Amino acid sequence: MSKLKSTLKQKIEEHRPRTTRLLKEHGDVKIGDLTIGQAIGGARGVKCLVTDISYLDPMEGIRFRGKTIPETFAALPKVPGSDYPYVEGFWHFLLTGDIPTKEETLEIVKDFQARAEVPHYVFDVLRTLPRDTHPMTMFSTAILAMQRDSVFVKEYHKGIGKMDMWEPMYEDATTLMARLPRIAAYIYRMKYRGDTHIAPDPALDLGGNFASMMGIPHPYDDVARMYFILHSDHESGNVSAHTTHLVASALSDAFYSLSAGINGLAGPLHGLANEEVLRWTQNLMDRLGGKLPTEEELKAALWETLNSGQVVPGYGHAVLRKTDPRYMAQREFCLKHLADYPLFKLVSMIFEVCPPILKEHGKAKNPWPNVDAQSGVIQWYYGVTEYEFYTVLFGVGRALGVLANITWDRALGYPIERPKSVTTAMLEEWAGK
Ligand code: AMX
């Protein structure tokens, strides 16, 4: 058993009595009420999911295993010559809550390298799809195609006990994490780089190898590491995390579950917003003949979007009530590497001009930018100008969080998810009382 797996086993065994005790002794304790508004309104704020992997405070933003983004970046072992940590070390941190040593991290790098080979049939499947298929459809399809390799399914059919199910889930999750960068880079180069491919470099870490397979030099490896870590997890209620968890709750394996979560990420109100942000921003610059707008022109463009009933992409959030720290982390990167880049200047202008307008408009509960408002500009700067691909990058990162979560779902024996629905007539009756 690998060091990470045995640490995880120990953590799981320590944790289980807490869940058992809560259920057995305190299962009737109330943690919230439910309103008609919440039942119709997307279950906003309903506390009915449990995860210890990340927590989203509305005012502070995300904490991974109790650490803020800057604390996480500072604590994890760094890749030599890089400003950012190994994604593999972050995977250890998400799974166990412990910061790994450099040696432990390198062991995971090796484990990922050993599992990284993507079966050839996956590329065959991708190649039979029409080339103009959306890259998110390709990404999800590739993940689903690999379902035949699921260790979980094989063990399930052998008759594995409920408390042991996390082990094959962990195996599938780790294999998926090791393969996803190759699949993403393959889709990218097949669709947008004339179907020319760069073989994986078995000596590199996940972020370095991804940049190399994309064909983009340093510091794009750091962009990849930063991007995957920032997009990994945002507690459990967002569409991609919740979908993955929901599907896994039926004892569907990691391939079925992640593919479903990726489909949710492909929605324009969720992960696809980063594509929409750049489309909106580029359209504005195109309309102005490639120039930066004046403040007045920018205000007019924002009002035009709002008055036509559309949302300003990259702004607002279902939980956050301040600027997303993931936005700020990427902004810090931009200030270091591309401070004078016109598109970044425009994104910064929108950061100043948009929140007061959204406040005046009076609908959005959060007028501040989310993660998606900043990420496209970095990709564009490094030559990844095909913005329909951006959500695939989000998906590789999001896989870290949701796969760690479903491994713990199995470890703690969470049951099949099955909320209760009611009819409109019932709501009307209760409203009348
Ligand atoms: N521009 C204009 N209107 C907005 C808005 C924005 N950026 N954000 C919210 N609103 C509107 C909503 O559409 C809603 O209008 P309605 O009452 O007519 O339906 C009203 O404000 C109240 O919405 P809310 O409670 O503030 O937000 P929500 O929880 O319903 O939705 C979100 C959250 C993110 C979907 C929404 O803010 C939005 O559509 N933002 C733009 C798209 C975006 O950036 N998505 C990415 C989110 C992060 C991610 O998952 N990647």
Side-chain angles (χ1 to χ4, degrees), residues 127-186:
R127 303 189 70 78
T128 52
L129 293 170
R131 211 43 69 82
D132 61 357
T133 302
H134 195 282
M136 281 298 272
T137 313
M138 291 188 166
F139 192 50
S140 176
T141 303
I143 293 166
L144 194 58
M146 293 188 292
Q147 190 276 334
R148 69 184 284 281
D149 298 339
S150 170
V151 179
F152 182 89
V153 169
K154 288 184 187 84
E155 293 298 318
Y156 183 81
H157 288 307
K158 277 189 211 158
I160 193 170
K162 191 172 167 188
M163 287 297 106
D164 296 326
M165 283 183 181
W166 70 269
E167 290 203 41
M169 190 60 113
Y170 165 87
E171 295 299 333
D172 284 349
T174 311
T175 300
L176 266 164
M177 267 335 301
R179 291 178 181 177
L180 293 180
R182 167 86 165 121
I183 292 170
Y186 189 92

Side-chain angles (χ1 to χ4, degrees), residues 44 80 181 200 243 248 281:
R44 208 63 93 257
T243 307
T281 317

